[in-house]
Structures are given as structure tokens and as C-alpha cells.
Amino acid sequence: MSEHGVDSNQIRELGRQALGDAHLQEAYRSSTLRLYTHRLAAVSEVPGFERLRERARELKREVMDHLDFYLAQFAENVERRGGIVHWAESAEEARSIVGEIARRAGASEVVKAKTMVSEEIELNPALEKAGIRPFETDLGEFILQLSGERPAHIVAPAIHMTRHDVSDLFVHNLHSQPTEVPEQLTAIARRALREKFASAGMGLSGANFAVAETGTVVVIENEGNIRFCTTAPRVHVALIGIEKLIPRLADLAVFLRLLGRSGTGQKLTVYTSLLTGPRRPGEDGPEEMHVVLIDNGRIATLADEKMREALYCIRCGACLNTCPVYRKIGGHAYGWVYSGPIGALVTPQLTGIQNARELPFASSLCGACRDVCPVKINIPDLLLHLRSEAQERAPAPTPSGAALGERTTIRLWAWAMKRPWAYSLGSRLARWGQRLLARGGWIRKIPMYPASGWTDGRDLPALARKTFRERWTEIEKQ
Amino acid sequence: MSNPAIAAKPRVALFITCLGDQFFPQVGECVVKILRRLGVEVTFDPRQTCCGQPAFNTGYRQEAREVATRVLDLFEGADYVVAPSGSCTSMMRVYYPELFHGEAEKLAKVERLRTRLFEFSEFLVKVLKVEDLGASFPHRVAYHDSCHLLRELQIEEEPRRLLRAVRDVELVEPQDNQLCCGFGGTFSVKFPEVSVAMGEDKLRAAAAAGAEYLVANDSGCLMHLAGLIHRQGLPLKTLHLAEVLASQG
Ligand code: SF4
């Protein structure tokens, strides 16, 4: 996988590699199962969870339908509380805004909280190039910074690694003693990071929610590192994708009840921080607070009435943990920073369908994701929509081993399906042809795509000697 | 037995589905047998082919519309349309409205179809209001929830009720029973490795629960699972629900 850019069309190949790696399979299997089970237990404890989901969805719809209003309100309130608002249309703009803030602050080191949008805009390499050292302080992100990988999961970025892998990584990079005790691994990371919190001139975070009514940035976490990042350094910068807005502070109660439970099965995460402006006289906290509101393709999604729903996502990760495809191929197969069902929606939207045309197809459309989504995004429906966009705007290359392109095949198929005589003739020809291939009612191998895709891993039942329609005249008489 | 539905002698137009027609005609025969036994008049229009789902699911909406339009016209006059497939039923019930979005005349036809269209097990339990079909099947059976039946149509209990009423059958619920089997239409050939790996999980769970038979209401899932079983020589068999319900032990 290349370090920059999008590799999403490699999904089949990367997925195949992941499937061949037993160690990786076990890491994904056990972790997703744990999160999935915890979610189930946490959700079953809440009476009216369904109504909560409905409410959250309504709220998100309200925000997306009037995003201009809520953005303006949020920005105004941030400024009223002494914060500084920046607008970034693209990843590049966002990177240069952050670089500029750091330069003005004289910060040569930046401590970072876990933020997916920072991964999205590929901030770290840009900071490094500008001579600013970013330090990831979330344990998972810290691990990835050492291993040089992208997040494998939107909530648990190092989900693909076992404790043993992490221990090895630490031994190798930090010269620590090998250990598989989670607390000890955390302690090793803490030691490596501790002085950075004190010395860094700038702290960087994302936002789980941005409250329009009050200009508040809400971040949730379990490790306490976000508190440090957002309060200890002199300058705090919050990177916020514009879909993170919620209308009122009171609405936060709805979302917080959903997010922890859906993501990790926690009633609430250990810390919930509400950050409203920089510190006021006599308080602790940063002297300067900046919020960077990032579009980077979101407004285009908003303009697409069908896809707008994807912006409701609160990044809980439940759809990943539940997805039988994600569990098999893992996060890196999706080729960019967002993975799983939501990644298959977001990546084509934010990076262009041609860069990610295969993602919407990497789903059996089983709908398990929709069942767990706290804001009830109809993920299969949106995947189907993207599939048709893909076929229109970035037609499929002819698969290897195929006699015809996919579109031509489907056209021929549709032509025959509209003509019962052609359908029947095709069926007769196929039955005649299969005599060469079938043994005892089964076909082991067909060399031509798409049937070859089938027989790669399973046998194909032979077509019945007599179709139902051919039997019908008999049946009718009985 | 006095059943008002039976007294009225309902007429059912069978939508056999393309896979059912080509690969599993015996399933269609079982469906006809069962329905007739319940006093239903079954008709079959040989002009029918496919519901259009393969094209729709692969993103070719124009082609899907062309094929689906025929379905709308063919079934205009039927009292009931019954399909032995959760997937095709959900295509017609859930996705036709989307497919014909903005085409008022077609949408009106879709609406008329939707009110009369039933998946086979749903039709038995909800419309005919029967559960016990007098079948006998002395085996250990795991019912596989096919995804479209379960999550698009919310049909979960009906097939189980029908199965529980079968004599001598032992119904087992494998772990993670509602996990997808990995078929997924063209997904099965576009991502065969993943599709197969998902199917293997399904079969492993069924075997661990001691099932001899995996029973489902969708030809696609059954083809996929049966193909895997045959390739790997596993001691499991697959059947369509209609085959079990038509069985006399
Ligand atoms: S799409 Fe829904 S389930 Fe998936 S991460 Fe977003 S909010 Fe969570």
C-alpha cells in the first residue's frame, strides 16, 4: 500500500492477502467479536434504544438540511467565546492552516489526540515536512505512528494488532521489555509521551460533536490523553469535519447515549470533554483555541440528495464490527483511512468514485450494518446507489478471463430476459454445453469469468435437466 | 379445518425466479404441491424470466428497469403473487419503488404488485394462516436466515414456525445464525475469496450445532452453500424450506 493517495481499487487483492494471514484473521475475529458482543449487551440495557436512534437520525437530518445555518451559528459562538475559526475547503488548505497556526505559535512539537479527519487530510507528513514533529498520544495511534500504518478501524485504529505484535513493536522501537499486559503496554507508551505533553507548544484534536448553540467542541475518550492535548499546550487546534455539528447542547444527551454503547459497549466513555473557547482569566487551559472547519468533499456529498445521509455518521464503528466482510478483509484492504461499510460510502464520496469504484461492490448487501447504525443510515441502499454511479461514471474494466465487458454482458442478459424465447434458448444452449463440464450433477471448473469466480472456491450445481417451465405443462395437468 | 382463506379459493400466480427455474425446479414443484393441498389455485405464466436483481445489484439500473417492467406487466391481473425467494421478493417489494423513482405510472403498478406479493413462507403463515402442513422430516435441521428475507422483509419467525410444526424434526440454532452466508449475488464472483470464507464460517457453525440439513428460502444462498459443501466434501446437506414442508419423512 502506498503511503499517500488512495488505493481503494486494490480491495480484492488486499482482501485476499488478509484472508491468507491467519494471525491477522484471528486479530480481527476476536476484536470485532468483542466489540460486537459488548455493543449488544449495552444496547439491550436501554429501554427505548430504537427511539433514541430515531431521534438522533432526525437531529442529524435537521443539521444536514440546514447546515449553512448551523455552521454560521457555531462559528459565531466559537468567536464569541474567544476562539478563532478557520475554514478549509480542501485537505491541502486544512494542512496549511494548521501549519501556519503552529508556525505562529512557535511550536516545533505538536501533541495529537486521535482524530480521523487528521488522517484524512494526511496532516502528519505535512507537519513533518514543515519541521514540526507530531506526536500521536492515543495508544492506538501511537502504535500506528511507530509502525507507519494507516488506521485499520475508525475507533480502534490498531485493531489488526495483537498484544504480542504491539510488544514486539515497542521492543524494537522503544527498547522496552517484552510484555503482553495491556496496562504495561500503556505505561510504556505513557513514558515515551509524558514529557511531550509538557513541552509541546500545540495540541491537536478532532471533535466528536460540535454544538452550534454554544460553540462547544465535544471530545470523548478513554485514555485521558485528549484532556492533556486540549488543555496542557498553550494552543489548542480542533479539526472538525463539517458534518460533526449538532444543534443544541441538550441534543448531546441523545448522541452520547448512543455513541459509547454503539462503539465499544460503554454507557459513556471514561472522559467526555466539552471545550468552549480558550481559557478565561483564572482558569486552566489553552491561551488560544482554534477550530478548523473542514469541507474536503463534504459539501459535494451534501448536494447529493441521496448520499447526504452518509453525513449523519457519528463514527461509532459499529458497522465495521458487525460487517462480515470487514471482519475478513480488515481495514487496510479498503485502501484509505475510512474502512468497513461506512468507508465504502465515504471514500468514494471524498476521493472521487474513480479512485474507489470497487468499494461499493465489496459488500454482500446483507444489511447487518444498517441494523446496528445508531443514526440508522441505510447503508445497503447507499451502496447500491454508489454502484450505479460507479457504472456510469467509472465503468468497470473488463475482468480478467472475461470474454465480454461487464456492461455488454449485462446488456445481453437483459436483452434475453426480456424475450422468453431467447431466455429458453439460452437455457437450452447452456444445458447442452454443460454436458462437457458436469459430473454427477456438479461442475468443478468453468474457465471463463464470471463463472470462474464461482468455481474458484465452490462447485456449481448443474442446470436441471428440465426447467420448471418445461415441467409446467405436466404439473398443470396433475 | 375451516379456513376462510381456503374457502375463498385464492389464486396464486407463481413467480418461480430464474434460479429456481433453471437450477431447482423441484422446489417449484414442492411449492405447487403444498399450495394446491391447501386449496389454492396455482397459475404459472411462462413469459416470466427474472426480477432484474442481478443488474440492479451490480449497478446497471437501466437494464434492471427494462427487465423489471416486464414483471410489472405480467402480474397486473394476479390475485396473489408468490415467490419462493426472500431476495427476489425484497427486490420487488423494497427496491422496485427506488428503481422506478419518478415514474408515476410504473410506481402505481409497483404499488399494486406490492400489496399482492408474498414470499412463500410469509404467504403460508400470514395469508393462508397455516403452520402445520402435515409434513414429517426426521432430521436435525438448522434454518439459515437469508439476509434479504430477514433484514429487508423482516421475516424471521414464519419459516421457523412452519419448521417447528413438521413432525420429528429437530430445529437447531447455530451460533451467529443471522450472519450472512456470503452469497451476495454478483459479490460471490467479484469477491470469491471473501464469499467463500463467509460461507465456511456458516457451515462450520451449522456443523458444530449438529445440523444435518441447512434449510433456507433463497436459491442463491443454497447454491452457494451447497457448492461449498460439495467442493469440500462436508457431511451436510441443503434444502429449500418448501422441500422440507412437502416431505413425508
Ligand atoms: S455508519 Fe453508522 S454504524 Fe457506521 S460508523 Fe457511522 S454511525 Fe456508526
Side-chain angles (χ1 to χ4, degrees):
Chain A
M1 192 174 71
S2 76
E3 205 180 322
H4 304 289
V6 184
D7 253 348
S8 299
N9 289 334
Q10 305 270 331
I11 186 163
R12 181 174 169 194
E13 186 45 40
L14 293 172
R16 188 167 21 206
Q17 287 168 20
L19 276 167
D21 182 339
H23 182 73
L24 190 69
Q25 286 295 304
E26 181 48 27
Y28 274 111
R29 193 199 62 80
S30 58
S31 301
T32 52
L33 191 69
R34 193 184 64 241
L35 291 167
Y36 172 82
T37 320
H38 288 176
R39 176 198 165 274
L40 265 185
V43 163
S44 67
E45 276 175 7
V46 188
F49 195 75
E50 192 51 34
R51 280 211 309 284
L52 220 47
R53 290 171 77 205
E54 301 272 353
R55 181 72 190 127
R57 182 180 168 83
E58 262 169 46
L59 286 166
K60 275 290 179 182
R61 182 190 303 139
E62 159 69 17
V63 172
M64 292 314 148
D65 288 352
H66 305 98
L67 191 57
D68 49 348
F69 169 80
Y70 287 110
L71 276 173
Q73 193 188 16
F74 176 71
E76 200 184 304
N77 284 321
V78 168
E79 279 169 356
R80 184 171 302 149
R81 306 306 289 262
I84 302 159
V85 178
H86 308 260
W87 301 88
E89 243 176 72
S90 63
E92 197 191 337
E93 229 179 295
R95 289 192 297 260
S96 69
I97 289 168
V98 176
E100 183 59 22
I101 299 171
R103 201 185 54 77
R104 284 217 200 134
S108 57
E109 292 177 340
V110 173
V111 280
K112 289 183 70 196
K114 177 183 169 326
T115 134
M116 284 305 292
V117 75
S118 134
E119 296 280 351
E120 173 191 323
I121 64 172
E122 303 193 322
L123 183 62
N124 286 1
L127 288 177
E128 275 159 18
K129 229 165 124 195
I132 302 161
R133 292 188 63 194
F135 292 93
E136 296 290 351
T137 66
D138 171 82
L139 180 59
E141 290 285 346
F142 176 76
I143 292 167
L144 293 185
Q145 197 173 22
L146 291 179
S147 72
E149 288 172 295
R150 277 187 178 140
H153 186 286
I154 61 176
V155 171
I159 196 170
H160 61 303
M161 286 194 184
T162 61
R163 282 172 212 160
H164 185 84
D165 299 333
V166 176
S167 173
D168 281 355
L169 187 75
F170 283 3
V171 169
H172 188 249
N173 288 278
L174 306 170
H175 315 292
S176 58
Q177 292 302 312
T179 170
E180 292 185 21
V181 181
E183 290 73 26
Q184 289 179 2
L185 289 169
T186 311
I188 295 167
R190 282 235 171 97
R191 268 200 303 282
L193 286 168
R194 185 162 297 148
E195 72 267 25
K196 297 301 167 202
F197 282 122
S199 65
M202 189 168 118
L204 226 143
S205 76
N208 293 98
F209 304 100
V211 186
E213 177 191 48
T214 54
T216 304
V217 174
V218 183
V219 276
I220 67 167
E221 56 164 332
N222 286 320
E223 296 172 19
N225 63 307
I226 300 190
R227 285 241 157 129
F228 267 118
C229 290
T230 57
T231 54
R234 200 182 64 74
V235 178
H236 168 217
V237 181
L239 303 174
I240 308 176
I242 55 174
E243 82 282 14
K244 295 288 178 188
L245 254 50
I246 61 172
R248 292 155 297 262
L249 201 56
D251 303 326
L252 192 57
V254 175
F255 289 102
L256 288 180
R257 290 177 76 192
L258 288 166
L259 183 49
R261 287 185 170 91
S262 302
T264 51
Q266 292 170 286
K267 286 186 182 129
L268 277 178
T269 48
V270 179
Y271 301 92
T272 303
S273 306
L274 283 72
L275 310 166
T276 314
R279 78 165 178 225
R280 284 169 280 279
E283 287 179 359
D284 282 339
E287 281 168 33
E288 273 176 44
M289 179 178 178
H290 298 258
V291 306
V292 185
L293 290 162
I294 299 171
D295 165 8
N296 200 30
R298 287 164 176 78
I299 289 182
T301 306
L302 194 68
D304 182 337
E305 235 175 273
K306 183 83 188 179
M307 291 309 296
R308 182 178 294 183
E309 201 182 328
L311 294 174
Y312 298 178
C313 173
I314 58 173
R315 304 280 189 265
C316 73
C319 57
L320 283 67
N321 305 329
T322 271
C323 175
V325 175
Y326 173 87
R327 289 178 183 181
K328 294 288 175 205
I329 68 176
H332 289 146
Y334 291 79
W336 199 46
V337 293
Y338 300 108
S339 52
I342 187 63
L345 296 180
V346 167
T347 306
Q349 288 295 297
L350 300 188
T351 69
I353 190 88
Q354 67 287 353
N355 292 315
R357 78 165 315 280
E358 296 303 329
L359 291 193
F361 295 94
S363 162
S364 64
L365 302 173
C366 77
C369 48
R370 177 181 50 200
D371 278 6
V372 298
C373 177
V375 285
K376 300 183 79 164
I377 300 175
N378 193 344
I379 298 171
D381 189 35
L382 299 188
L383 287 172
L384 280 163
H385 175 77
L386 284 179
R387 287 183 183 187
S388 79
E389 288 226 320
Q391 303 300 21
E392 265 159 42
R393 309 215 328 247
T398 302
S400 66
L404 299 167
E406 195 175 81
R407 164 140 264 156
T408 315
T409 309
I410 291 278
R411 286 228 169 107
L412 273 171
W413 171 88
W415 183 87
M417 290 294 156
K418 287 188 287 181
R419 292 164 181 80
W421 65 266
Y423 167 93
S424 294
L425 181 66
S427 155
R428 270 174 211 283
L429 285 173
R431 276 178 280 165
W432 180 79
Q434 79 176 3
R435 288 180 316 169
L436 304 168
L437 299 165
R439 294 276 170 282
W442 291 92
I443 298 170
R444 262 195 95 78
K445 190 167 174 57
I446 300 179
M448 221 186 330
Y449 186 87
S452 59
W454 185 278
T455 56
D456 276 353
R458 57 227 122 165
D459 292 342
L460 182 69
L463 294 161
R465 228 166 262 154
K466 246 179 145 184
T467 61
F468 182 83
R469 74 193 52 232
E470 287 161 3
R471 297 180 191 197
W472 177 249
T473 29
E474 298 257 306
I475 301 169
E476 206 178 10
K477 279 184 228 138
Q478 283 162 14
Chain B
M1 274 206 300
S2 79
N3 190 318
I6 293 175
K9 183 115 179 157
R11 275 184 40 206
V12 161
L14 183 62
F15 184 70
I16 191 67
T17 80
C18 54
L19 290 183
D21 184 30
Q22 298 295 325
F23 288 96
F24 305 108
Q26 75 280 10
V27 171
E29 288 180 339
C30 292
V31 169
V32 174
K33 199 151 88 179
I34 291 165
L35 290 176
R36 280 188 180 156
R37 225 190 275 150
L38 293 167
V40 173
E41 185 188 335
V42 184
T43 64
F44 176 78
D45 188 330
R47 288 172 298 172
Q48 63 180 271
T49 56
C50 171
C51 66
Q53 180 164 215
F56 180 73
N57 278 9
T58 319
Y60 296 102
R61 297 212 168 174
Q62 181 48 39
E63 288 76 5
R65 260 191 295 274
E66 291 170 17
V67 174
T69 301
R70 290 190 71 249
V71 176
L72 294 180
D73 292 336
L74 275 179
F75 292 109
E76 267 284 276
D79 292 351
Y80 293 105
V81 181
V82 171
S85 155
S87 198
C88 308
T89 306
S90 83
M91 176 67 202
M92 296 184 271
R93 188 183 291 172
V94 182
Y95 288 105
Y96 273 13
E98 166 144 359
L99 186 60
F100 292 109
H101 181 76
E103 297 179 59
E105 202 183 309
K106 300 258 175 66
L107 281 176
K109 285 187 186 177
V110 170
E111 269 324 299
R112 283 200 293 279
L113 175 63
R114 275 159 48 102
T115 55
R116 294 168 299 132
L117 169 71
F118 295 89
E119 183 277 331
F120 173 62
S121 71
E122 181 187 34
F123 185 72
L124 292 178
V125 175
K126 283 202 186 140
V127 180
L128 297 184
K129 308 214 185 304
V130 288
E131 287 177 19
D132 186 351
L133 296 160
S136 149
F137 194 71
H139 297 283
R140 206 179 283 173
V141 165
Y143 171 71
H144 162 58
D145 290 277
S146 54
C147 297
H148 289 168
L149 196 66
L150 176 68
R151 297 195 187 85
E152 300 288 356
L153 304 177
Q154 281 83 42
I155 297 175
E156 183 177 3
E157 265 309 299
E158 290 83 346
R160 288 185 170 79
R161 282 205 223 156
L162 290 163
L163 277 172
R164 274 190 218 112
V166 172
R167 313 274 175 280
D168 303 323
V169 81
E170 190 186 338
L171 195 59
V172 295
E173 292 280 343
Q175 220 185 347
D176 282 334
N177 205 18
Q178 304 197 324
L179 210 62
C180 176
C181 72
F183 169 63
T186 42
F187 172 77
S188 62
V189 294
K190 281 181 184 279
F191 293 88
E193 299 86 2
V194 191
S195 170
V196 163
M198 285 162 69
E200 286 172 340
D201 282 358
K202 188 101 232 167
L203 295 176
R204 211 172 292 128
E212 295 164 67
Y213 285 86
L214 256 175
V215 172
N217 284 9
D218 267 287
S219 303
C221 310
L222 289 169
M223 251 173 93
H224 166 66
L225 293 170
L228 264 172
I229 290 170
H230 194 260
R231 170 69 54 96
Q232 304 190 355
L234 303 175
L236 256 170
K237 282 168 260 185
T238 57
L239 279 179
H240 191 283
L241 178 70
E243 294 175 281
V244 177
L245 298 181
S247 173
Q248 300 297 333

